[in-house]
Amino acid sequence: MLGKSLGLDLGSHSVKIVELRQNLRTVEIARLQAINVSNGTSEFDALRDCAQALGLIGERVVTAIPGDRVARRAVHFPFRDRRRIAQAVPFEVESETPFDLADVFVDWELVGEASAAADVIATVVTRAEVASRLEALRDAGLGARVLEVEGLALANLATFVPMPGTRLLVDLGHRKTTLCLLVDGVARAARTLPLGGRVLTEAIARETQEFSEADYDALR
């Protein structure tokens, strides 16, 4: 897509933005910024404050729903017709979600090598979660250009960086870690684990006994 794309990453400690500009031949990073989030500030309040500080009011952004707010399932079909897959995926995941299909969005993505069959990663997210994200963007003066899901979004890097063979992409955050497994540049699986930099820091501190109680309180 020619023109400007603005990506937004809303983290526990900072809000990051990256602006890409694409012409007929290249994609360039035109802007890369981060603003720290004060302790105790909700992620939606942080989004509003940072949108103003970074001059983003009125922009449409590409952002993602946290991976721990969605459910994923790998599904195999003996056919590869996209229309048939779109019809079959909701029925495959219905028995494994506690919500009615009317209350969720079900999306899917083909993974693996092309063949007569299809391996699919199905993603389920509640409509309430999506509505909350969109409302937070609107309250901050932003619009949603693309709303993705963490994990599989990491696979987009393979569009710009050659990744032959088997690679595991890791996004280590403060409270969670997101993983994406690539095989020859194609996503095969994605997971979000409720363990992040904070847990690692505390574990190291316990081993070295260098943290005081005040240090632990500052992390909470």
Side-chain angles (χ1 to χ4, degrees):
M1 182 179 296
L2 299 180
K4 180 178 73 172
S5 294
L6 192 65
L8 176 70
D9 179 9
L10 182 58
S12 301
H13 280 181
S14 63
V15 174
K16 286 81 70 177
I17 66 164
V18 58
E19 180 181 324
L20 301 180
R21 291 192 177 274
Q22 182 176 4
N23 56 37
L24 291 175
R25 295 184 178 181
T26 62
V27 177
E28 297 180 348
I29 297 177
R31 183 181 182 189
L32 185 62
Q33 286 184 273
I35 288 186
N36 292 334
V37 175
S38 301
N39 289 336
T41 303
S42 72
E43 60 180 5
F44 293 151
D45 287 340
L47 177 60
R48 186 184 307 111
D49 295 343
C50 291
Q52 295 177 350
L54 295 173
L56 303 180
I57 304 300
E59 295 282 3
R60 298 178 66 223
V61 300
V62 178
T63 189
I65 296 174
D68 55 358
R69 307 288 179 85
V70 305
R72 296 188 182 93
R73 181 189 170 193
V75 186
H76 178 81
F77 295 107
F79 50 83
R80 203 174 179 85
D81 181 78
R82 298 185 69 91
R83 184 169 58 180
R84 292 178 64 188
I85 293 174
Q87 294 171 342
V89 165
F91 296 101
E92 287 291 328
V93 302
E94 183 177 15
S95 62
E96 298 187 12
T97 176
F99 305 101
D100 292 334
L101 284 181
D103 297 328
V104 298
F105 288 109
V106 180
D107 200 3
W108 55 273
E109 185 170 341
L110 281 170
V111 298
E113 299 178 356
S115 67
D119 289 310
V120 168
I121 295 180
T123 301
V124 180
V125 58
T126 65
R127 292 179 179 269
E129 178 67 34
V130 174
S132 175
R133 293 276 149 181
L134 294 177
E135 182 179 0
L137 289 172
R138 286 194 295 269
D139 287 348
L142 302 171
R145 183 175 182 179
V146 177
L147 189 61
E148 297 200 59
V149 175
E150 283 181 345
L152 290 178
L154 290 174
N156 295 338
L157 290 172
T159 304
F160 305 100
V161 181
M163 295 187 184
T166 301
R167 307 291 182 97
L168 182 64
L169 305 184
V170 180
D171 180 5
L172 178 62
H174 175 63
R175 66 177 182 84
K176 57 185 172 62
T177 299
T178 301
L179 309 172
C180 181
L181 177 65
L182 298 182
V183 178
D184 293 329
V186 178
R188 300 302 294 266
R191 292 287 186 275
T192 296
L193 308 178
L195 302 171
R198 171 181 169 174
V199 173
L200 295 177
T201 300
E202 291 179 348
I204 294 171
R206 284 193 298 270
E207 289 294 325
T208 58
Q209 298 181 346
E210 291 182 358
F211 261 25
S212 65
E213 288 299 323
D215 293 323
Y216 283 117
D217 290 340
L219 286 172
R220 295 191 176 96

